[in-house]
Amino acid sequence: MNTIIKLRTFILNSLKGIGRLVILVTILILGACASADHQTEVATDNDSLNIYFGDIHNHNNLTYGHGDMRDAFEAAREQLDFAALTPHAMWPDIPGRDDARLSWVIDYHTGAFERLRKGGWEQYVAMTKEYNREGEFVTFIGYEMHSMQHGDHVALNHSLDAPLVEAGSVPELKEKLKNEKAFVTPHHMGYQEGYRGYDWDVFSPEKTPFVEIYSRHGLAEEDLGDYPNLHDMGPRRFEGTMLHGLNQGHKFGVIGSTDQHAGYPGSYGDGLIAVLAKSKTRDAIWEAMEKRHVYCVTGDKIKLDFRINEAIMGDEISAGKRTISVKVEGQNFIDFVDIIKNGKRLERISAPFMNPESKGDVIRAKVKVEFGWNRSKEPVRWLGQLSLSEGEIHSVTPCFRGAAFTAPQENKEHKHKTLVNRIKGRTAQRVDLEMYTTKNDNTLTPATQAVILDVTMPRAALLSADFNGKRFSYTMKDLLAGTRANFMNGWLSEAVQFHRAATPEMYSIEYTITDTEAEKETDYYYVRVRQRDNNWAFSSAIWVNKP
């Protein structure tokens, strides 16, 4: 066992990506095999998969929303691997035609649908093709149908020449797309049935391999927990949630997407889809989605490798003995990891509360540096760099967000202009940034921007922020001890926050457990991960049949 721990530590410090995750999990399984019965090895065709992050449900002013479509594509490719910008397209059973109270709802929806059909669709398809770059940034065509009866859905297409298909209901849309490479995905599922909440009676795994459980609307894993529905469309109910669907025996993957209405796909904290795919190409990403090899993150790009025997998330297998392996690489301090079986917690793995004492002089850690808190509604432009006096920056993860819109806004300053945040350049010891922050709308809705640095540096080395003529510096020793913050121009001005540095022991978890009890003909398992900063990841389920 000591050999396994040493080898695990060596790999953790030497490798990156899902390849590292796979190797670490394999080491744990091999260690367990030394004193256990024969276990199925991890399938080799899954060992080369990569994790890619995207947003396949978001909006701009092409239909109703804010922000120019070109700016939206520019924002998307700054921090996503793939994206679909999704115009609002139709609402066959729109209510309120005889209700003066709802006339404004009808007007802005029907006006948007008309604009889309009078040249907007052609403009959208052309720009989607323009920004598609196989291996760099992959774009998809999609559009949204509202439905009071069945719940709102996004139609996502494989082809960049896909037409806008007219339909009078969600079942009719699925029927018209049955011979096409297209998915029809429900979102904001937890609202009341009959009022745009999801109706599980129309679920069909052929066209709906995954459902969207998180966006700006809230979280629909279950009826309790974080991120309740606060939109005026109403509160969260159990009937539309992921757990309700799994308990009914449906098989589907789970994703997040932003449903952002300010022209900022991938807006931080609003939800992302993660796929386990062979490459950053249209076919590989599509195949991963079709196989349910997907998961949901609420904000941080948490890397998650969840397996049962030879299966990865989204798979269905038969087994008596189930070796459950979980490997998580977070972006911040992990709070806990839950393994859920048939709607009940099978195991909770808690992370340490504080960084352990380390005798080494050189430290590997992740440090989030955040900008904002300005009092003025006028945007503050942050232009400058983060740099190390010694050491190496291994990776930079952007946490860029757009305005917090989930519906059309009146009298909002800058509502038609997306201010795109960018990583302007980087070296092994420096990252150049251009970002924009505005006043937080309230004490619960952030408008900050951030990046997460994965660094190796001596304890005495400095991490410095040089922006807008001001410089703030802290040693790794300082950052291991706690979060630091500085106002740029005195009290109530904009500020910079250096979050507490997280060492690998704090942002990584590896765990293996064996379950031999078949509770049903088909048991389902999934994993939920919580970071201490309230970022979550939710895996798709793995279904295990009795042998």
Side-chain angles (χ1 to χ4, degrees), residues 263-480:
Y264 215 101
S267 181
Y268 180 68
D270 293 341
L272 297 175
I273 170 178
V275 302
L276 305 178
K278 297 175 184 177
S279 62
K280 196 191 299 187
T281 60
R282 174 177 313 281
D283 288 344
I285 292 171
W286 190 267
E287 180 184 8
M289 292 191 289
E290 192 170 43
K291 290 181 175 180
R292 305 182 298 230
H293 294 169
V294 297
Y295 66 96
C296 166
V297 296
T298 62
D300 277 352
K301 294 175 179 176
I302 298 169
K303 296 178 181 179
L304 177 58
D305 187 351
F306 163 48
R307 304 186 181 218
I308 300 180
N309 297 354
E310 77 279 7
I312 64 174
M313 62 183 81
D315 286 346
E316 181 175 2
I317 60 171
S318 296
K321 186 174 184 179
R322 298 102 186 254
T323 300
I324 304 168
S325 304
V326 180
K327 171 64 174 75
V328 180
E329 182 184 331
Q331 298 291 345
N332 209 309
F333 287 73
I334 293 175
D335 191 0
F336 58 78
V337 177
D338 284 338
I339 301 172
I340 305 298
K341 177 185 179 183
N342 297 333
K344 297 170 287 186
R345 184 185 293 121
L346 179 67
E347 190 85 358
R348 169 164 287 186
I349 309 106
S350 296
F353 191 68
M354 286 294 177
N355 287 312
E357 289 292 332
S358 175
K359 297 179 180 179
D361 179 60
V362 177
I363 303 296
R364 180 76 177 262
K366 294 188 179 184
V367 183
K368 184 177 185 178
V369 185
E370 193 165 3
F371 305 80
W373 294 276
N374 34 294
R375 189 168 178 79
S376 170
K377 291 185 179 181
E378 290 295 321
V380 171
R381 180 177 184 239
W382 298 83
L383 188 62
Q385 57 273 329
L386 299 169
S387 61
L388 305 183
S389 62
E390 297 180 71
E392 180 182 356
I393 300 172
H394 303 291
S395 65
V396 184
T397 302
C399 305
F400 297 152
R401 54 167 54 94
F405 300 160
T406 320
Q409 305 289 303
E410 294 183 4
N411 303 318
K412 283 286 186 183
E413 299 174 32
H414 315 290
K415 65 181 180 180
H416 296 303
K417 179 64 177 175
T418 295
L419 300 174
V420 179
N421 304 287
R422 301 181 188 275
I423 297 175
K424 303 288 286 185
R426 59 162 293 199
T427 67
Q429 292 189 325
R430 172 172 163 165
V431 181
D432 297 318
L433 300 170
E434 180 183 22
M435 301 170 295
Y436 298 87
T437 63
T438 57
K439 174 184 173 66
N440 295 326
D441 280 347
N442 54 63
T443 57
L444 297 177
T445 305
T448 57
Q449 308 295 347
V451 294
I452 299 169
L453 305 181
D454 182 355
V455 301
T456 296
M457 55 191 291
R459 287 176 177 273
L462 293 172
L463 170 58
S464 298
D466 292 271
F467 287 85
N468 301 351
K470 299 292 178 66
R471 179 184 177 91
F472 304 105
S473 301
Y474 293 98
T475 66
M476 174 54 73
K477 180 180 178 181
D478 294 331
L479 297 174
L480 288 170

Side-chain angles (χ1 to χ4, degrees), residues 226-227 302 328 332-338 348-349 351 506 509 527-538:
D226 291 336
Y227 304 111
I302 298 169
V328 180
N332 209 309
F333 287 73
I334 293 175
D335 191 0
F336 58 78
V337 177
D338 284 338
R348 169 164 287 186
I349 309 106
M506 309 311 297
I509 280 183
V527 169
R528 57 206 300 267
V529 180
R530 186 186 188 277
Q531 291 184 168
R532 297 242 307 270
D533 62 1
N534 205 34
N535 275 292
W536 285 83
F538 299 91

Side-chain angles (χ1 to χ4, degrees), residues 42 47 57 77 143 190 204 281 299 394 400 474 516:
V42 175
D47 290 353
H57 174 205
R77 70 178 183 178
Y143 52 90
S204 54
T281 60
H394 303 291
F400 297 152
Y474 293 98
T516 58

Side-chain angles (χ1 to χ4, degrees), residues 9 11 21 37 139 146 163 166 222 269 284 353 369 407 410 463 518 524:
T9 303
I11 295 173
L21 309 186
D37 295 336
T139 61
H146 298 324
E166 306 283 355
E222 51 154 328
F353 191 68
V369 185
E410 294 183 4
L463 170 58
Y524 71 80

Side-chain angles (χ1 to χ4, degrees), residues 73-266:
F73 274 116
E74 289 291 324
R77 70 178 183 178
E78 282 292 319
Q79 60 181 354
L80 298 175
D81 298 304
F82 62 99
L85 278 58
T86 45
H88 302 90
M90 62 197 85
W91 192 347
D93 60 352
I94 191 168
R97 298 184 186 279
D98 300 318
D99 187 343
R101 182 177 61 92
L102 298 178
S103 62
W104 66 280
V105 176
I106 295 176
D107 290 345
Y108 79 70
H109 282 88
T110 56
F113 303 155
E114 183 178 1
R115 289 194 303 276
L116 184 64
R117 286 159 178 80
K118 289 184 175 180
W121 180 258
E122 290 76 14
Q123 178 190 3
Y124 166 62
V125 171
M127 196 172 293
T128 301
K129 290 181 178 179
E130 177 187 343
Y131 274 88
N132 183 62
R133 294 288 185 272
E134 287 284 297
E136 297 178 14
F137 176 64
V138 180
T139 61
F140 291 92
I141 293 286
Y143 52 90
E144 179 170 347
M145 170 189 276
H146 298 324
S147 172
M148 294 292 285
Q149 181 180 1
H150 302 119
D152 290 12
H153 287 67
V154 167
L156 188 72
N157 297 274
H158 180 276
S159 172
L160 288 177
D161 292 308
L164 173 58
V165 174
E166 306 283 355
S169 68
V170 172
E172 182 182 342
L173 180 63
K174 290 183 178 181
E175 177 64 23
K176 287 188 173 183
L177 293 173
K178 69 178 181 180
N179 295 321
E180 306 297 327
K181 293 184 75 170
F183 304 134
V184 182
T185 304
H187 57 268
H188 56 53
M189 301 166 56
Y191 289 119
Q192 184 174 343
E193 285 187 39
Y195 294 91
R196 296 172 68 185
Y198 187 48
D199 176 7
W200 281 105
D201 289 342
V202 299
F203 175 78
S204 54
E206 299 80 13
K207 301 311 294 181
T208 306
F210 52 86
V211 302
E212 181 186 303
I213 65 168
Y214 179 79
S215 72
R216 284 200 58 79
H217 280 267
L219 175 62
E221 180 208 9
E222 51 154 328
D223 52 326
L224 304 175
D226 291 336
Y227 304 111
N229 292 0
L230 299 178
H231 194 282
D232 55 13
M233 286 170 56
R236 180 169 58 188
R237 292 160 55 97
F238 183 63
E239 286 79 5
T241 63
M242 162 190 167
L243 269 181
H244 184 63
L246 289 172
N247 290 340
Q248 286 184 318
H250 297 305
K251 296 182 176 68
F252 54 87
V254 296
I255 70 164
S257 275
T258 62
D259 202 356
Q260 221 256 356
H261 283 62
Y264 215 101

